[in-house]
Amino acid sequence: MSQINPYFSQIPQSYLFSEIAHRVAKHAAARPDQKIIRMGIGDVTRPLCAPVIQALEKASRDQGEAVSFHGYGPEQGYPFLRQAIQNYYRSLGAEVDAEDIFISDGAKSDLANLPELFSLDCPALITDPVYPVYRDSNLMVGRRVEYLDAVRENQFLPLPDSSQKAGIIYLCSPANPTGAAYTRQQLQQWVDYALEQDAVILYDAAYEAFIQEDLPRSIYTIPGAEKCAIEICSLSKTAGFTGMRCGYTVVPRALVREGHSLHDMWLRRQSTKMNGVAYPIQRAAEAVFSPEGLAACRENIALYQSNAACMARTLDQLGIWYCGGKNSPYVWMECPGGMGSWEFFDKLLDATGVVGTPGEGFGKNGEGYFRLSAFAAPDQVQLAMELLRNWLTKGD
């Protein structure tokens, strides 16, 4: 007789963004006359840049010719892409060996799958609020999850507690959902803590390209990180690959636990459970890291940064507390009037048609907060901010 996994009962019945989509669909059916402005899910709206499209087209034609056809590729990814990523890391001030880079279909799956390298007796330490995948993927296999409070009093950037034991540590900087970003000194504290605890940091750098201030864009710019950290990154936000699916994870060979190389373990896991990312997608990703590709991607990122600045200005004018918006495409605002997260979601949607993300969906410390995404078109962001301002100032 088959038996179901009992741990699924420990996670929310519906994934956060599925619940949002359900509520928006129900509202749209009831109010077909109202325009919906989507600033909730972090999906990009700018098209792929020209160098990426050119590479994608050429690679697709390669697949139509016998002499240039590619079948199964290397499990770690093609050397041409890994070399391009190594060079990119060097531009960030981080030395990463190309042999330590693994190409994936995006950050989400690797963040959920990397804990397979560790015993279920090894607890996961995550901040709260947090990207739901960190929490849910561990709970659904029966791993104990411990939480570290990210609150307004610590600028939503909690630091390690030496009295707290840890095995796997999830960090995201700039953070999703809050947009807060760690300084070098703060990340050094986390690296030192992980080394003392013999723990491993899973470092989500999906939003590093949005950093504008003098802040670390890779944990490998921090001394000692190569012995305690795995870095996961994605081209979804950097280059608009949400529909293309390509990212990369760095597992240094210097990262050894109990005599075992985590690099070799991850290679064994990937070669068993994944056949790699499509050749045309990897060629398109290679183009992202060309001088022309990086310049074109920077133009799109600048547009999203301008959207975030527009949101920040509006909240400043309204006297609403927030963080993020400068080094991140997300603005994390306090719900006005003491409203709860879902209460504000429903009222904002009803009054303005603007869709955001209730902070409660990211954890208990997200209650009373709300996330707005900067990935909409500029005219839509400006309209959304005008509608928000009019609604809150008129009290309608």
Side-chain angles (χ1 to χ4, degrees), residues 198 200 226-227 252-263:
D198 210 25
V200 175
E226 73 282 357
K227 296 180 180 179
R253 280 168 291 180
L255 186 52
V256 176
R257 291 294 181 271
E258 298 182 307
H260 295 277
S261 164
L262 269 67
H263 173 281

Side-chain angles (χ1 to χ4, degrees), residues 47-85:
L48 298 169
C49 65
V52 168
I53 292 298
Q54 291 163 7
L56 187 62
E57 290 175 341
K58 181 181 183 305
S60 297
R61 289 193 297 272
D62 287 347
Q63 295 297 78
E65 301 290 338
V67 294
S68 54
F69 174 77
H70 290 75
Y72 289 124
E75 291 92 347
Q76 271 190 264
Y78 286 98
F80 61 76
L81 178 53
R82 292 156 65 199
Q83 183 65 58
I85 294 170

Side-chain angles (χ1 to χ4, degrees), residues 53-349:
I53 292 298
Q54 291 163 7
L56 187 62
E57 290 175 341
K58 181 181 183 305
S60 297
R61 289 193 297 272
D62 287 347
Q63 295 297 78
E65 301 290 338
V67 294
S68 54
F69 174 77
H70 290 75
Y72 289 124
E75 291 92 347
Q76 271 190 264
Y78 286 98
F80 61 76
L81 178 53
R82 292 156 65 199
Q83 183 65 58
I85 294 170
Q86 180 189 37
N87 293 337
Y88 178 68
Y89 267 108
R90 190 168 290 129
S91 74
L92 302 181
E95 286 298 327
V96 170
D97 195 321
E99 290 299 314
D100 293 343
I101 298 170
F102 294 76
I103 307 304
S104 71
D105 62 353
K108 183 176 183 179
S109 55
D110 280 3
L111 285 161
N113 292 328
L114 278 161
E116 290 184 19
L117 303 184
F118 305 92
S119 164
L120 284 178
D121 294 329
C122 183
L125 178 63
I126 65 175
T127 60
D128 180 329
V130 70
Y131 180 42
V133 171
Y134 304 170
R135 177 195 65 216
D136 294 353
S137 61
N138 281 285
L139 290 177
M140 68 174 54
V141 296
R143 187 183 305 279
R144 187 171 85 255
V145 173
E146 298 180 359
Y147 299 95
L148 195 62
D149 288 335
V151 292
R152 184 170 174 176
E153 288 70 25
N154 60 22
Q155 291 77 52
F156 288 95
L157 292 169
L159 294 173
D161 179 352
S162 59
S163 66
Q164 187 171 23
K165 300 300 181 183
I168 309 167
I169 304 166
Y170 281 88
L171 294 179
C172 182
S173 182
N176 180 10
T178 67
Y182 283 109
T183 65
R184 284 183 174 81
Q185 293 76 15
Q186 290 170 326
L187 273 188
Q188 187 68 66
Q189 289 186 53
W190 274 111
V191 167
D192 292 344
Y193 170 75
L195 291 170
E196 291 168 4
Q197 295 276 331
D198 210 25
V200 175
I201 297 171
L202 302 185
Y203 189 76
D204 185 351
Y207 304 98
E208 58 83 13
F210 288 82
I211 291 177
Q212 301 181 63
E213 298 178 308
D214 184 21
L215 297 168
R217 291 174 59 179
S218 168
I219 199 168
Y220 298 122
T221 62
I222 308 300
E226 73 282 357
K227 296 180 180 179
C228 68
I230 295 172
E231 183 163 293
I232 304 94
C233 199
S234 167
L235 295 182
S236 289
K237 308 308 191 294
T238 302
F241 271 48
T242 53
M244 296 271 283
R245 310 311 309 144
C246 191
Y248 50 93
T249 290
V250 180
V251 188
R253 280 168 291 180
L255 186 52
V256 176
R257 291 294 181 271
E258 298 182 307
H260 295 277
S261 164
L262 269 67
H263 173 281
D264 293 348
M265 291 173 66
W266 185 242
L267 176 59
R268 184 68 177 86
R269 188 268 176 203
Q270 292 296 82
S271 60
T272 299
K273 295 191 174 185
M274 183 181 179
N275 275 330
V277 176
Y279 170 75
I281 299 296
Q282 292 197 50
R283 279 298 186 189
E286 179 192 24
V288 169
F289 297 103
S290 68
E292 300 80 10
L294 289 171
C297 290
R298 173 51 57 188
E299 291 181 9
N300 286 341
I301 290 171
L303 182 145
Y304 296 137
Q305 289 171 325
S306 177
N307 286 346
C310 173
M311 293 189 290
R313 285 194 303 272
T314 301
L315 297 180
D316 283 336
Q317 294 165 0
L318 292 169
I320 295 174
W321 185 91
Y322 66 92
C323 66
K326 186 167 187 180
N327 299 301
S328 164
Y330 299 124
V331 171
W332 180 250
M333 60 177 284
E334 186 174 36
C335 295
M339 280 187 270
S341 297
W342 281 107
E343 178 188 8
F344 182 62
F345 173 91
D346 289 332
K347 289 187 176 180
L348 178 67
L349 178 60

